[in-house]
Amino acid sequence: MTRERWVEVWIESSSRGGYLLVLRPDDAGGFELRDPQKGGEAVERFATYEDAVHWLNEDEYDLVEGRWYHERAAAGGGGG
């Protein structure tokens, strides 16, 4: 089975300058948050997308632009 590959960028804008996290599916069928400020290190893992979004909303993160799919990014496409 081919897994869908995408990323979402979330920003916590109440911090000075904002703080970004990247949400994506992981290889185990769940979801992980990666921190670009820490070299892309996985900082949280979740069983469901809903659990991840709940965590992000509780910590006052907002979705930026939408979801970027791997195929579009590789072809030079934008978000969506």
Side-chain angles (χ1 to χ4, degrees):
M1 178 175 136
T2 303
R3 294 201 47 87
E4 187 175 50
R5 297 321 263 168
W6 52 264
V7 298
E8 292 178 349
V9 177
W10 292 74
I11 187 167
E12 193 273 309
S13 56
S14 68
S15 298
R16 228 168 42 168
Y19 200 88
L20 296 175
L21 292 175
V22 176
L23 176 63
R24 67 179 209 140
D26 66 18
D27 293 333
F31 298 86
E32 64 185 10
L33 280 175
R34 294 197 165 258
D35 187 337
Q37 293 85 196
K38 295 182 179 178
E41 172 185 330
V43 294
E44 293 286 339
R45 296 184 191 280
F46 304 93
T48 67
Y49 177 80
E50 291 77 16
D51 289 343
V53 170
H54 178 75
W55 186 94
L56 288 159
N57 287 330
E58 285 288 313
D59 281 5
E60 299 183 8
Y61 280 82
D62 296 306
L63 180 60
V64 175
E65 183 66 33
R67 186 175 286 178
W68 288 294
Y69 289 87
H70 178 39
E71 300 78 23
R72 291 174 70 186

